[in-house]
Amino acid sequence: MASPVSDERADALRARYHAAFADPDLPVPVEAIAEDLLGLRVGEREDLAVSGMLLPRERQIWLNAGDVAPRRRFTLAHELGHWVCQHLEGKTAPVYCRSADIQPEPSVVDKALEREANVFAAELLMPEPKVREEFREAGSLADLAIRFGVSATAMHWRLYSFDLVAEGPA
Ligand SMILES: [Zn+2]
C-alpha cells in the first residue's frame, strides 16, 4: 500500500526495467523506463504552458524544455506516476501538471492525484535502500543529488523523510 513517502508500484516498475535492461541502477533511467519499458513517447517543447503533460491515448508525455534537467527528470517520473497509478487504473483523460503540482515534498500539494504522482516520482528516482546506502558514502547533499539525478531540494526532502537529516530544506 502507498504510505506518505513510498509507493511500491514505483519499486515494481524500476525492478521490471532492470530485469529487462542491463543499465546501472543510478541515476534511475527514467526516460528509458518510459520509452523502452512502457512504450511511451517522451518529448520536450518550448511552448508548453505547464511543466509536464500526459496524453494517455496518444501514449505521449511532454516536458517543458525551459525547465532544468533534474526538474525535467522529476516531472517525467511524476507523469509516469499518473500513467501507472491512474491511467492504468482507468483514468484516460489528459493530465496537465503545473509547476506547483510537481513537488518532491508531498504535503504541500493538496490535490490527491498530484500528490500520488509526486510520491511515485520520489520513490521511482530515490528508492529508500539506495538513498540510505549512498547517503553513508556521499560527501555532500550536492554529490548525492547528482548521483540520483535530482535537484538538491528533492534529495533533501527525501533524506528528511527518512530521518537522515534533522531539518528539511529552508
Ligand atoms: Zn501531475
Side-chain angles (χ1 to χ4, degrees):
M1 292 303 292
S3 80
V5 299
S6 74
D7 188 321
E8 65 192 22
R9 291 168 294 190
D11 298 322
L13 180 64
R14 195 182 337 90
R16 263 177 65 205
Y17 180 83
H18 286 297
F21 299 94
D23 278 6
D25 288 350
L26 294 179
V28 172
V30 62
E31 192 158 335
I33 289 174
E35 294 188 325
D36 301 336
L37 187 65
L38 297 176
L40 300 168
R41 183 171 157 233
V42 180
E44 294 183 2
R45 277 168 50 173
E46 300 280 354
D47 62 345
L48 221 54
V50 290
S51 278
M53 64 188 203
L54 168 67
L55 305 176
R57 289 181 193 282
E58 294 81 2
R59 301 184 75 95
Q60 288 177 6
I61 290 171
W62 289 98
L63 306 174
N64 194 315
D67 288 343
V68 297
R71 177 70 183 174
R72 287 200 308 274
R73 274 171 56 79
F74 195 89
T75 300
L76 176 52
H78 172 106
E79 300 307 328
L80 293 185
H82 285 304
W83 176 265
V84 170
C85 305
Q86 297 151 23
H87 173 71
L88 297 181
E89 298 299 321
K91 290 194 192 304
T92 55
V95 187
Y96 303 94
C97 306
R98 297 170 307 132
S99 174
D101 297 328
I102 304 171
Q103 298 291 336
E105 159 34 352
S107 67
V108 300
V109 177
D110 59 4
K111 298 179 201 159
L113 298 182
E114 294 304 329
R115 203 165 52 231
E116 183 175 50
N118 286 328
V119 171
F120 183 97
E123 180 76 25
L124 186 68
L125 298 176
M126 298 172 281
E128 181 170 356
K130 274 281 168 201
V131 169
R132 291 185 179 278
E133 188 183 312
E134 299 286 327
F135 178 73
R136 286 194 295 269
E137 306 192 348
S140 68
L141 179 64
D143 285 347
L144 203 55
I146 289 168
R147 286 191 207 186
F148 284 84
V150 299
S151 70
T153 306
M155 195 76 242
H156 196 156
W157 276 116
R158 198 68 174 154
L159 297 180
Y160 181 62
S161 71
F162 298 144
D163 279 330
L164 291 171
V165 293
E167 307 267 346

